[in-house]
Amino acid sequence: MASLGHQGGSRLGLAGLAVMGQNLALNVAEKGFPISVYNRTASKVDDTVDRAAREGNLPLYGFKDPGEFVASLQKPRVIIILVKAGRPVDETIELLSSFLEPGDCIIDGGNEWYENTERRAEAVRQKGLLYLGMGVSGGEEGARYGPSLMPGGAVEAFKYIEDVVKKIAAQVDDGPCVTYVGPGGAGNFVKMVHNGIEYGDMQLISEAYDVLKSVGGLTNKELHETFAQWNKGELESFLIEITSHIFSVKDDKGDGELVDKVLDKTGMKGTGKWTVQQAAELSVAAPTIEASLDSRFLSGLKEERVAAAKNFKELGVSDILAPSNVDKKELIDGVRKALYASKICSYAQGMNLIRAKSMEKSWNLNLGELARIWKGGCIIRAVFLDRIKKAYDRNPDLANLLMDPEFATEMVERQGAWRKVVTLAINAGISTPGMSASLAYFDTYRRSRLPANLVQAQRDYFGAHTYERVDQSGWFHSEWHKLASAL
């Protein structure tokens, strides 16, 4: 345990030693940067110091007094906070800032609402302090061995930690998975949308699993082999990889595989909901991400669903309708294509949301660079992120990923299989809200004329909201009822 003998020696500090904080601190120390750690629960300080000793006598120093913790840091002092979002962050800032001096820096590494970050940045600025909101993605393992980092806020503050974050971030072929995202709450906003894309990705994978199992009758062994094979091609990604692993894990408390014993009730921490709310606020279509959120809501109605299944079974509608005779090999290939095309739509929606907020806030975010830093460390890391980066490199003003020539060609090549898979699922009574929403997004985006003319006519009929014409400029209002009655 370090004491005042270490005063002024640590490169930076970290407050908040839950799983993510502890692992990030060890990562920093392992990369050769002395770090001081603090937690209100003293036992967590001891645990972290013990881990640092076990994992190679890493230069990590624990403190149980906040004043001594701050005094142990080199000037200008930099402190990363990793505590639960909301009031705990405010309380930690209030505690630590009383020991800080003008020029020192606070970094919130949690999943925080971006407007809270902007509020806090202004509050500490009045005390002469700098502030960053830094998204950290990669879970426990990423934090320990190399996450994707999304810092936003004061650019001067980023310069304080640039050497550290470039070392501790995941490393890919074109550099560390970190970049200065932009001013204000840009870092937290980008991390939020990253999580929204993650929601969509996980939902789409679960639907692929459902179709393969319920329509194709694949066993867990076959599912393991299928996803392992997919992870060698265009779908190569962290989520596909861990999914293949999940199907092979035996139940340590009974027979069969563990995945079949997991309750079908999904939890959430709020970032997916925030993403959907922001999409609505910015008038950006994000149907795949919205469908994933709705699916989590419905999964939470476990007792209702069990009752509904019993009720409808008595009415002659079974849990799964009689599936068609399908060729397994053909189905697996079709689901792979449907999953890939659906994922592209989900990522396109997320990128459009980031771009819309960037324009609203004048953040000037670089979408290609964001795709690059997601290539490693984070939960949504995937091989096609490199191609997304290249698409934005080719055209920084790309309106939609679906408009990139390479992705457009791939969507066209996969649409036949995509439609067939969704149709098979519908006929079997299997819900595929994510794939269906992605397909509807594609079909809506690619049409030059939609039935929105009828909706606008209805709005003008009952509310005199006016409408535009295809053959004349300006806004018009018609007395629809009178015109109809005169016929």
Side-chain angles (χ1 to χ4, degrees), residues 155-211:
V155 69
E156 310 96 293
F158 176 71
K159 290 176 182 176
Y160 281 6
I161 61 161
E162 186 172 7
D163 61 329
V164 177
V165 294
K166 284 185 174 180
K167 286 282 189 180
I168 68 172
Q171 308 292 316
V172 292
D173 56 355
D174 49 3
C177 292
V178 60
T179 190
Y180 172 70
V181 174
N188 287 122
F189 189 89
V190 166
K191 175 56 164 57
M192 177 198 75
V193 176
H194 163 284
N195 286 19
I197 294 171
E198 179 185 310
Y199 272 49
D201 223 346
M202 294 171 74
Q203 176 64 27
L204 292 169
I205 292 170
S206 75
E207 292 174 17
Y209 153 60
D210 198 7
V211 172

Side-chain angles (χ1 to χ4, degrees), residues 326-360:
V326 295
D327 179 282
K328 274 190 182 181
K329 186 176 180 181
E330 183 180 335
L331 180 65
I332 290 170
D333 188 57
V335 173
R336 174 183 60 80
K337 291 175 179 176
L339 178 56
Y340 181 83
S342 297
K343 281 162 66 79
I344 295 301
C345 288
S346 184
Y347 279 72
Q349 293 159 29
M351 288 299 192
N352 287 350
L353 180 53
I354 291 173
R355 183 182 60 186
K357 178 57 74 172
S358 176
M359 292 172 65
E360 179 192 73

Side-chain angles (χ1 to χ4, degrees), residues 461 479-487:
Y461 192 121
E479 297 290 340
W480 296 87
H481 179 70
K482 290 181 181 179
L483 292 171
S485 299
L487 296 177

